Amino acid sequence: MSSAALIVLAIVSTVIWIAVSKEAAKPTKEVNRKKMYVLVSAGTLSTIILTVSLLQNLVL
């Protein structure tokens, strides 16, 4: 993966995790569980992709 794509993915991942933290900071009754599941899943997937790509760049 190119370095520009990794930078874009890192920015997107950061934005996703910020959205997760804002949603988690809401009172329990106001938290949208479906939104949380989607955000956490997207954040986890983007983080895994970033980690694998960065580890591949370190090894090669």
Side-chain angles (χ1 to χ4, degrees), residues 11-60:
I11 292 169
V12 169
S13 183
T14 303
V15 169
I16 290 170
W17 286 114
I18 289 170
V20 168
S21 66
K22 285 185 178 183
E23 187 71 20
K26 292 180 181 177
T28 306
K29 292 182 179 180
E30 293 180 21
V31 172
N32 184 346
R33 290 190 184 271
K34 186 176 180 181
K35 183 178 179 181
M36 282 291 285
Y37 290 145
V38 170
L39 286 172
V40 169
S41 298
T44 302
L45 181 63
S46 66
T47 302
I48 289 171
I49 292 170
L50 274 173
T51 304
V52 169
S53 297
L54 292 172
L55 287 174
Q56 285 178 344
N57 286 340
L58 285 175
V59 171
L60 298 176

